[in-house]
Amino acid sequence: LIVDNSAELGGGGVYGVNSYVMSNCTIAYNTAGGVGGGLRHTQQFGGGTSTLVDSVLWGNQAPTGAQIGLEFGGSLTAGYCD
């Protein structure tokens, strides 16, 4: 459970870089001043594949990508998520 966090620039709840897997997560009511209120994902130096499974993102706030914000060619596969 990732709830009620904030970030000045981005990734109010989570700031993910390159390759990772997140499963069974609830990311809610986080705030970011830039990109990705709930989850900010960025790809650097060739990156990799990131996956979000069986998770809920809800009620997050940001100027760009309230729930999920992608940057710098980042890609994220989501399955069984709300």
Side-chain angles (χ1 to χ4, degrees):
L1 178 61
I2 301 168
V3 64
D4 282 331
N5 298 288
S6 64
E8 187 174 323
L9 297 177
V14 176
Y15 186 167
V17 178
N18 292 339
S19 183
Y20 56 89
V21 175
M22 292 178 61
S23 63
N24 300 306
C25 295
T26 298
I27 303 171
Y29 304 109
N30 300 289
T31 304
V35 177
L39 170 64
R40 177 182 181 181
H41 172 71
T42 187
Q43 197 155 335
Q44 298 176 0
F45 312 113
T49 302
S50 296
T51 306
L52 181 65
V53 180
D54 294 323
S55 297
V56 175
L57 285 89
W58 186 263
N60 298 292
Q61 297 181 353
T64 304
Q67 305 311 316
I68 299 173
L70 302 177
E71 291 188 303
F72 305 115
S75 64
L76 180 72
T77 302
Y80 304 103
C81 296
D82 277 334

